Amino acid sequence: MIYLDYQATTPLAPEALRAMLPWLEQGHANPHSAHRAGRQARAAVEVARDQVAALLPPGGRVVFTSGATEALNWAIKGVGMDAGKSAGGGIVTTAIEHAAVLDTAHATGRPLTILPVDSDGLIAPETVREGTGLVAAMLVNNEIGTVQPVAALARAAHLAGAWMLCDAVQGYGRIAIPDDVDLVALSAHKIHGPKGIGALWIRDGITLPPLLHGGDQEGGRSGTLSPALCAGFGAAAKLMAARQDADSAHVAHLWALAIERLGPGWTINGSTERRYHGNLNIRRDGLDVARLMSDCRDIAFSAGSACASGSGRPSHVLTALGLTDAQVKSSIRLGFGRCTTEAELTQGIDQLVDAAGAQRR
């Protein structure tokens, strides 16, 4: 199997697995227990917390969650229910956000403004208006890889009296997170860590009411932490920091190779300049994506986000770019990264190109 679906999830780093194993094999103590074994587990959690925080702005704290979906729900539902913000403050987000943001924002019942994007998938920060309580935007889009002007959005949010929530799931460790943001959502399995754990970074001075009640183990978040998952997340974050330059150079090389191998007839969806190069969303007129997936069963790639697959709905992200229904349905997403070899990418691209060409013949 040639794996080209890095936006859905990344392979678990061996270093993350090694960090987890002691806490899966022997270290079974509850990290919230007061005895020695519990304190040892707690120490592992705190080491991991520092490792995750090392790639985030200063002046905040990392709270572990079950994943980015919980982190985003907590941030969106919590802002406006605290003593420092008006409950009537509206939410501003973009038309190409993850469902965890869009659906949660709708569920709050608060005034919601969804900013349109241009054909490159980018927004205009100056569209944030007064009366806003929260601005939420991805750093790197999960479907098309575009990098939003989050720093400018944060400044516009603050001028409007709002807080800035950055969904950094796809960008953490790859794109610098601006210091201006107030809340940051993360996911371990997007950075070669384990599934089932994420985090919400909260700027100092911000207090969110609990999303989950029943113990307050994390100071605002209830639930027993898994030392193994925390250790794996921390090790993956430490590795992202150490390999940031090497990973970036490798991905840029793979991007250039992929563009060269695709040849004519393919169009890139989203900005070709303001993007993370490990995400390649492309379309070909008349392409039958379902048939392509059937013909290339030994290649893992996507027709959209993993969360939306099987829904039967066209991608809201590609639709927001102004693509026609036919163009949306003829688009695929290729994701590659640290573990992808040149040979794998070349073989995968060539198979996809040949299969797409066979459809025309």
Side-chain angles (χ1 to χ4, degrees):
M1 172 66 72
I2 298 174
Y3 188 75
L4 299 178
D5 202 16
Y6 269 58
Q7 280 67 54
T9 195
T10 55
L12 182 67
E15 294 86 346
L17 177 59
R18 286 196 294 269
M20 294 170 66
L21 285 176
W23 303 103
L24 292 170
E25 293 174 338
Q26 295 97 21
H28 56 268
N30 188 321
H32 311 292
S33 296
H35 48 65
R36 184 175 65 182
R39 294 195 303 272
Q40 289 173 337
R42 182 70 184 187
V45 170
E46 295 310 315
V47 168
R49 198 187 308 274
D50 289 343
Q51 290 170 327
V52 172
L55 284 166
L56 292 164
R61 64 189 183 101
V62 170
V63 180
F64 288 118
T65 64
S66 62
T69 295
E70 181 192 333
L72 291 166
N73 268 261
W74 185 17
I76 294 169
K77 293 175 180 177
V79 172
M81 296 178 62
D82 63 289
K85 290 284 176 184
S86 166
I91 299 172
V92 172
T93 189
T94 84
I96 60 171
E97 295 304 303
H98 191 278
V101 168
L102 292 173
D103 291 356
T104 306
H106 279 291
T108 65
R110 294 164 60 190
L112 176 61
T113 300
I114 299 179
L115 301 177
V117 296
D118 62 20
S119 59
D120 283 337
L122 301 171
I123 60 171
E126 61 271 13
T127 50
V128 178
R129 298 288 183 259
E130 289 188 12
T132 301
L134 177 70
V135 177
M138 280 183 179
L139 181 60
V140 176
N141 186 268
N142 61 313
E143 289 196 39
I144 56 175
T146 51
V147 180
Q148 293 293 357
V150 169
L153 263 178
R155 290 192 293 270
H158 294 157
L159 286 173
W163 284 337
M164 180 71 208
L165 166 62
C166 176
D167 174 352
V169 168
Q170 299 287 342
Y172 175 71
R174 301 179 176 98
I175 307 292
I177 298 173
D179 289 345
D180 313 68
V181 298
D182 302 297
L183 300 154
V184 182
L186 308 172
S187 176
H189 76 97
K190 307 293 188 179
I191 61 161
H192 303 278
K195 297 174 181 64
I197 186 168
L200 180 66
W201 178 87
I202 306 172
R203 180 171 295 286
D204 291 342
I206 295 178
T207 301
L208 299 175
L211 179 67
L212 305 173
H213 296 81
D216 198 32
Q217 285 89 342
E218 279 283 86
R221 193 264 183 184
S222 296
T224 301
L225 292 176
S226 163
L229 292 179
C230 292
F233 192 179
K238 180 180 179 181
L239 196 60
M240 290 294 287
R243 291 187 53 93
Q244 197 164 27
D245 292 342
D247 284 351
S248 178
H250 180 58
V251 163
H253 175 69
L254 293 178
W255 164 274
L257 178 64
I259 298 301
E260 178 185 354
R261 302 296 297 192
L262 281 169
W266 297 86
T267 302
I268 298 173
N269 294 324
S271 173
T272 56
E273 297 177 358
R274 293 184 55 88
R275 77 181 299 130
Y276 168 62
H277 286 120
N279 181 317
L280 179 56
N281 195 306
I282 49 176
R283 69 180 189 269
R284 183 183 176 101
D285 290 343
L287 182 67
D288 183 336
V289 173
R291 178 180 166 188
L292 184 70
M293 286 187 151
S294 177
D295 292 341
C296 300
R297 287 188 292 271
D298 58 341
I299 305 173
F301 66 100
S302 176
S305 71
C307 301
S309 63
S311 68
R313 300 190 304 268
S315 164
H316 70 283
V317 173
L318 297 182
T319 300
L321 300 185
L323 271 60
T324 66
D325 189 53
Q327 289 173 326
V328 170
K329 291 180 178 179
S330 63
S331 297
I332 61 173
R333 183 187 67 183
L334 308 178
F336 36 84
R338 181 186 301 163
C339 303
T340 312
T341 67
E342 287 188 33
E344 285 177 323
L345 185 63
T346 299
Q347 182 181 349
I349 293 287
D350 288 351
Q351 286 186 30
L352 291 167
V353 169
D354 287 347
Q359 290 187 16
R360 291 201 166 192
R361 292 193 294 273

